[in-house]
Amino acid sequence: MAHAGAGGGGGGLEIVPHSGDLELDLPPAGNSLRQDSLYRDATRPAHHHAGHHGQESWVRTLRLAFQCVGIMYADLGTSPLYVYANTFKKGVGHPDDVLGVLSIIIYSFVLFTMVKIVFIALYANDEGDGGTFALYSLISRYAKICLIPNQQAEDELVLRYKHHPKPPATLRRAQWMKNLLETSKAAKISLFFLTILATALAISDCMLNPPISVLAAVNGLKLRAPHLTKDAEVWITVGILVVFFSVQRFGTDKIGYTFAPVVTVWLLLISGIGIYNVIKYDIGTLRAFNPKYIVDYFRRTKKKGWVSLGEILLCVTGTEALFADLGYFSIRSIQLSSTFCLLPSVLLTYIGQAAYLRKHMSMDISNAFFNSVPSSLFWPTFILALITAVIGSQAMISCAFATMSHLQALNCFPRVKILRTSRYYSGQMYIPEVNIFLCISACVVTLSFRTTGFIARAHEICVVLVMIITTLLMTIVMLLVWKVNIWWIVIFFIIFMSTESIYTAAVLYKFIHGPYLSLAISAVLMTIMIVWHYVHVKRYKYELEHTVSRDKVKDILERQDLKRVPGFGLIYTELVQGIPPIFPHLIEKIPTIHSVIVFITVKHLAIPHVDVSERFLFRQVEPKELMVFRCVARYGYRDTLEMANGFVKILVEYLQYYIRDINLYGLGEPLRISDYSAHIDSFSKEKPSGHAIYEEEMLTPIQSFSELTMHPVGMSNILLHLQTGKMNVEEMLRIEEDQKIIQSEVNNGVIYILGETEVVAKPHSNLLKKIVVNYVYNFLRKNSRNGEKMLSIPRGQLLKVGITYEI
């Protein structure tokens, strides 16, 4: 008789043979669902990753809320240092102008920071991740907008849609939006363009935010050291920036705990000073909560007041980081800390300054904040302001790191090294190349422009354009994903698009006085992103058009002069469909192949995390006795690639599960999505009597054969599969033998085979394409990290195969 037991590390079968073949003769099975191992692998429920804080405890929420103060709010908390100074550069013309500007600040902060971002946009997160890229990836899960043709049916199973009953009208609108995005190439390109524009602007903002914050704080030193020169101010600022960027390598988690107490004290201090100034100078400043003063301000100042909106907008600088840095924290922690800490502190500070300005209209406005500070508190306030101004850049730096991680996943930027700085929160990371680039850029901007005025105007365009792009993407999310009532969508779009357009027009009016700098930097970054992504798409399509046919693969594998050598070979390729053209090229140059070959594709899905049980999809290449497989390893855009040795260990484990499943249960071609949906409908119904196998009862690759034999239901399902698959002892022995062969070849040595692909434009291509492909792209490729470094492949186990593609 046959006894099933867990094999070595790969879920093998231990068989006690009986005389002759053993074929089980059981009652008819009924309508058993014939499921593929890829299907079960793709539909295995994933555990919530640490990066997604949906079910966090209140202890963790409070801890994250405390860290939020240190990472996110210093930038918003230091904006009072320079908002009034830049808005009233030429002095205050009328006492009520201060009330008008204050009223605009109050309602802009509440509308853009609190309502739009904290209480609406944060819910448009991609399983705990926020920012423009998260919105783009969320949309791509509901509509096929990716420009790279590497989508697979199995991917739709792992993306885990959340279906809720919706009225027919909202479903029709969602379907209309889906069809528009999927059928219009212009819509796809426009959506991609907006996403990388917002990304480029965010990175540009990171170059400008540190200089303006630190310069504004250092400028306060003039009140106690009037002989301090502008050169001294600039070099002090540069020194502080260098120190700030040098501590980034210690990680956001440690920085958050270090900075949070400082920023908390700062927010309490400035709110206290604000209350003091309101009581001492003009409690009537509280009238600014009446929006009538906004109308009066524009009526009185006309064009001058409209132009000043750009400087007033600086009060919400750093707001975009609240959304983009959501992956570091959680919705509840941000809402809690912003409502009860950030909002009252910042508004009290602006109100207090306004009260002081109304009584001191003739003073030097460039130091409005420090002039409003009581003399006895000057030095504590100055020191805290300086430290907090440095910390204020932390949110933007964290945003830059998260953004670059997303760019890597979408193949939109040359490869860089990404280091995870927290074992608990995968969103916390450090990228050395980006950190050095931002440090140098911030220092150059400081040395070049020297004052906050020009840098502030360059900073404004980044803030307002990112706000507009977020509004556009949020509107699509509401239509396609949330499927909310159309009137809520209309209200959201009209309110935010109209107000943000007014701010944008005011900023662009001063184009040559600052905004051009940000747009120029963003244009350079976008050029790099577009070139890299364009060539990547072209290269993928070239490989797709030149995939090796099944017959040719069979001919290659059965060649008489082809030698099989001991070992386990991993051939890396971008393709998720078919065998890449590098394979026949390799055999032509070196007519030798390892005993076990796996064509491996590392693919990033449009979700932050993919559970390891859902990671691998396998297919075996015919003829089966040659032990050649295709594998797609799927990761989320926040997942970390394992070291090469660890990756092979996991891959081999799941490959052995696949061999067991494909033979033991007679699994073949992958289940179609339409079939899957029909099965899901049937699972929700009451289980009928008989021998039907339901999805939740199916074996998963992570479970061993012996685990299920311990349970009556599990054993009956196994026997049912044995009967359906006509299993006999020889076949079971062959499964174990195949698994032993794979493990033996892994023990003989693993070789990693990478294509050293040179991409060139076709001879008849136009001049622009030749410049882009032959020079710009190849320059970027040669100066980025190599594939083996990204995959942490040991040099002694690496084999590179040179090949040229003409695109």
Side-chain angles (χ1 to χ4, degrees):
M1 60 186 296
H3 298 278
L13 298 175
E14 182 182 348
I15 308 297
V16 181
H18 190 274
S19 58
D21 292 350
L22 174 64
E23 192 159 310
L24 299 175
D25 186 15
L26 295 177
N31 297 322
S32 174
L33 296 180
R34 185 171 179 271
Q35 296 194 14
D36 174 78
S37 65
L38 292 187
Y39 165 69
R40 291 203 318 282
D41 188 33
T43 55
R44 176 170 172 78
H47 299 290
H48 283 279
H49 199 282
H52 180 50
H53 314 293
Q55 302 297 324
E56 61 186 9
S57 66
W58 274 106
V59 174
R60 178 178 294 179
T61 298
L62 293 174
R63 182 156 56 90
L64 288 174
F66 181 66
Q67 282 187 277
C68 281
V69 177
I71 299 297
M72 292 184 172
Y73 301 151
D75 191 13
L76 284 160
T78 54
S79 58
L81 292 174
Y82 49 81
V83 171
Y84 283 124
N86 284 283
T87 303
F88 295 115
K89 294 185 293 292
K90 299 179 181 179
V92 181
H94 189 280
D96 283 352
D97 287 353
V98 177
L99 290 182
V101 170
L102 174 59
S103 189
I104 297 172
I105 289 173
I106 291 171
Y107 287 103
S108 295
F109 194 90
V110 171
L111 185 66
F112 297 132
T113 301
M114 300 304 297
V115 176
K116 179 183 174 182
I117 299 298
V118 175
F119 288 103
I120 298 179
L122 288 188
Y123 288 103
N125 66 85
D126 187 20
E127 294 197 3
D129 260 353
T132 308
F133 256 116
L135 289 175
Y136 181 81
S137 65
L138 183 62
I139 293 169
S140 70
R141 288 165 57 183
Y142 288 80
K144 296 176 182 177
I145 58 174
C146 183
L147 298 176
I148 303 176
N150 66 347
Q151 294 85 14
Q152 295 173 281
E154 293 87 354
D155 294 341
E156 296 187 26
L157 303 179
V158 79
L159 295 184
R160 296 188 296 281
Y161 297 94
K162 296 179 181 178
H163 294 294
H164 303 286
K166 297 290 180 183
T170 60
L171 294 177
R172 284 195 299 271
R173 281 190 292 271
Q175 188 61 42
W176 171 82
M177 176 59 68
K178 176 180 170 69
N179 292 338
L180 174 64
L181 294 175
E182 292 184 345
T183 57
S184 172
K185 187 175 182 180
K188 291 182 181 180
I189 294 175
S190 299
L191 205 55
F192 178 75
F193 178 84
L194 287 174
T195 303
I196 63 172
L197 173 59
T199 303
L201 288 166
I203 297 174
S204 302
D205 202 9
C206 294
M207 303 177 192
L208 303 171
N209 186 278
I212 188 175
S213 299
V214 180
L215 267 175
V218 173
N219 190 50
L221 196 57
K222 280 187 174 181
L223 294 180
R224 292 296 184 270
H227 301 296
L228 188 70
T229 65
K230 177 56 69 174
D231 286 343
E233 285 184 45
V234 169
W235 284 107
I236 290 172
T237 301
V238 169
I240 292 171
L241 290 174
V242 170
V243 172
F244 167 70
F245 281 101
S246 67
V247 302
Q248 291 298 316
R249 61 190 179 88
F250 295 111
T252 309
D253 188 52
K254 299 180 182 65
I255 292 173
Y257 275 121
T258 305
F259 288 171
V262 177
V263 180
T264 301
V265 173
W266 166 257
L267 292 176
L268 290 174
L269 176 63
I270 61 175
S271 58
I273 292 173
I275 294 172
Y276 169 81
N277 286 332
V278 169
I279 295 173
K280 180 177 180 180
Y281 295 110
D282 187 4
I283 199 167
T285 308
L286 296 175
R287 289 176 295 167
F289 281 96
N290 185 346
K292 174 185 90 71
Y293 288 95
I294 298 177
V295 177
D296 294 342
Y297 173 71
F298 287 124
R299 184 183 297 140
R300 188 167 48 250
T301 58
K302 298 181 173 60
K303 180 181 175 181
K304 181 183 175 182
W306 168 67
V307 173
S308 70
L309 284 176
E311 282 71 26
I312 297 173
L313 183 68
L314 293 173
C315 72
V316 298
T317 182
T319 295
E320 64 275 14
L322 292 181
F323 187 28
D325 290 342
L326 176 59
Y328 289 74
F329 304 104
S330 68
I331 296 175
R332 195 161 60 182
S333 64
I334 294 174
Q335 290 178 337
L336 185 68
S337 56
S338 61
T339 302
F340 295 103
C341 182
L342 175 67
L343 179 64
S345 298
V346 171
L347 292 189
L348 283 171
T349 306
Y350 283 117
I351 293 169
Q353 273 194 75
Y356 180 85
L357 286 175
R358 279 171 57 81
K359 298 298 182 182
H360 302 82
M361 292 175 53
S362 60
M363 71 165 193
D364 179 16
I365 206 74
S366 63
N367 259 319
F369 174 81
F370 286 106
N371 281 323
S372 69
V373 175
S375 57
S376 59
L377 292 177
F378 174 83
W379 284 112
T381 305
F382 172 76
I383 294 171
L384 276 174
L386 193 60
I387 297 173
T388 310
V390 174
I391 299 170
S393 305
Q394 182 61 52
M396 299 307 300
I397 304 305
S398 301
C399 175
F401 292 159
T403 299
M404 191 57 64
S405 175
H406 293 176
L407 285 171
Q408 299 285 290
L410 282 180
N411 295 297
C412 292
F413 206 83
R415 293 181 289 260
V416 294
K417 184 178 184 180
I418 299 176
L419 302 175
R420 306 291 169 173
T421 59
S422 173
R423 69 178 63 182
Y424 302 109
Y425 300 102
S426 61
Q428 300 186 1
M429 66 191 75
Y430 168 67
I431 304 176
E433 292 97 327
V434 175
N435 192 60
I436 293 172
F437 171 72
L438 292 177
C439 180
I440 294 173
S441 301
C443 292
V444 169
V445 168
T446 304
L447 292 169
S448 300
F449 301 107
R450 303 166 65 84
T451 63
T452 61
F454 185 92
I455 301 173
R457 289 188 290 273
H459 185 43
E460 294 162 11
I461 192 68
C462 297
V463 176
V464 73
L465 287 182
V466 171
M467 288 167 59
I468 283 184
I469 293 171
T470 301
T471 298
L472 290 172
L473 296 181
M474 280 292 301
T475 303
I476 296 175
V477 168
M478 289 179 174
L479 282 167
L480 182 67
V481 182
W482 289 355
K483 304 179 183 69
V484 298
N485 187 285
I486 187 64
W487 292 112
W488 288 116
I489 300 174
V490 169
I491 291 171
F492 172 86
F493 185 81
I494 290 176
I495 289 176
F496 289 104
M497 187 54 66
S498 60
T499 53
E500 289 164 2
S501 296
I502 294 172
Y503 278 99
T504 303
V507 171
L508 290 176
Y509 181 79
K510 300 167 289 187
F511 181 79
I512 61 174
H513 300 291
Y516 76 88
L517 175 65
S518 300
L519 294 180
I521 296 171
S522 299
V524 173
L525 292 171
M526 284 185 68
T527 300
I528 295 174
M529 296 177 201
I530 291 172
V531 168
W532 191 266
H533 192 69
Y534 168 77
V535 177
H536 182 83
V537 172
K538 288 290 186 182
R539 189 179 70 179
Y540 190 93
K541 290 181 177 178
Y542 176 92
E543 290 190 336
L544 193 60
E545 292 168 0
H546 293 81
T547 52
V548 186
S549 66
R550 291 185 180 182
D551 292 338
K552 188 172 181 180
V553 171
K554 186 176 181 181
D555 292 341
I556 292 173
L557 294 174
E558 293 179 343
R559 279 172 48 174
Q560 295 297 322
D561 61 337
L562 183 64
K563 297 179 182 179
R564 303 300 295 263
V565 296
F568 187 89
L570 283 177
I571 301 178
Y572 282 85
T573 173
E574 297 281 348
L575 283 181
V576 298
Q577 307 100 330
I579 303 299
I582 195 174
F583 179 60
H585 182 73
L586 169 65
I587 300 301
E588 180 183 342
K589 301 297 182 183
I590 310 173
T592 304
I593 192 173
H594 294 86
S595 298
V596 178
I597 288 289
V598 178
F599 292 92
I600 182 74
T601 300
V602 176
K603 175 182 177 181
H604 286 88
L605 301 184
I607 52 175
H609 306 287
V610 176
D611 192 81
V612 68
S613 63
E614 299 174 307
R615 179 148 297 156
F616 297 103
L617 301 177
F618 290 99
R619 274 291 176 269
Q620 190 159 9
V621 178
E622 298 290 346
K624 291 185 177 181
E625 58 270 14
L626 293 179
M627 303 296 284
V628 178
F629 303 88
R630 289 192 297 114
C631 174
V632 178
R634 303 176 297 179
Y635 290 83
Y637 55 75
R638 281 219 188 265
D639 286 331
T640 306
L641 296 178
E642 299 89 349
M643 299 292 285
N645 293 336
F647 175 79
V648 169
K649 182 178 179 182
I650 300 172
L651 182 143
V652 170
E653 178 183 358
Y654 279 87
L655 177 57
Q656 292 189 341
Y657 290 145
Y658 168 76
I659 290 172
R660 178 197 67 189
D661 290 355
I662 200 74
N663 290 282
L664 185 58
Y665 309 129
L667 302 170
E669 294 303 314
L671 192 71
R672 296 190 303 273
I673 295 299
S674 58
D675 296 335
Y676 164 71
S677 300
H679 293 325
I680 293 299
D681 292 339
S682 69
F683 299 154
S684 62
K685 299 175 183 177
E686 184 180 355
K687 180 178 177 180
S689 59
H691 297 282
I693 304 291
Y694 282 77
E695 188 268 347
E696 60 265 31
E697 297 174 355
M698 292 297 294
L699 278 169
T700 58
I702 205 168
Q703 293 173 300
S704 71
F705 191 84
S706 61
E707 286 173 339
L708 282 151
T709 60
M710 297 171 64
H711 305 283
V713 174
M715 187 60 198
S716 66
N717 290 344
I718 291 170
L719 294 177
L720 185 62
H721 277 292
L722 289 173
Q723 181 229 17
T724 305
K726 306 293 184 185
M727 182 62 66
N728 57 41
V729 172
E730 283 74 11
E731 289 173 330
M732 298 174 81
L733 288 170
R734 181 168 56 80
I735 293 173
E736 186 175 26
E737 183 63 26
D738 287 348
Q739 291 178 331
K740 286 181 178 179
I741 289 173
I742 290 174
Q743 190 59 54
S744 174
E745 297 305 333
V746 171
N747 295 337
N748 287 333
V750 178
I751 297 296
Y752 304 85
I753 303 170
L754 267 68
E756 188 73 9
T757 307
E758 181 181 2
V759 181
V760 297
K762 290 181 179 179
H764 62 270
S765 301
N766 59 55
L767 179 61
L768 178 60
K769 185 174 181 180
K770 287 181 178 180
I771 293 173
V772 167
V773 177
N774 297 351
Y775 297 101
V776 179
Y777 173 78
N778 280 305
F779 173 80
L780 294 173
R781 184 179 65 84
K782 290 175 182 177
N783 289 278
S784 63
R785 293 179 66 84
N786 297 326
E788 63 268 22
K789 289 184 179 179
M790 295 298 294
L791 298 167
S792 305
I793 295 174
R795 286 187 174 272
Q797 297 173 260
L798 175 64
L799 173 63
K800 287 188 175 182
V801 182
I803 189 171
T804 301
Y805 292 163
E806 288 188 352
I807 62 173

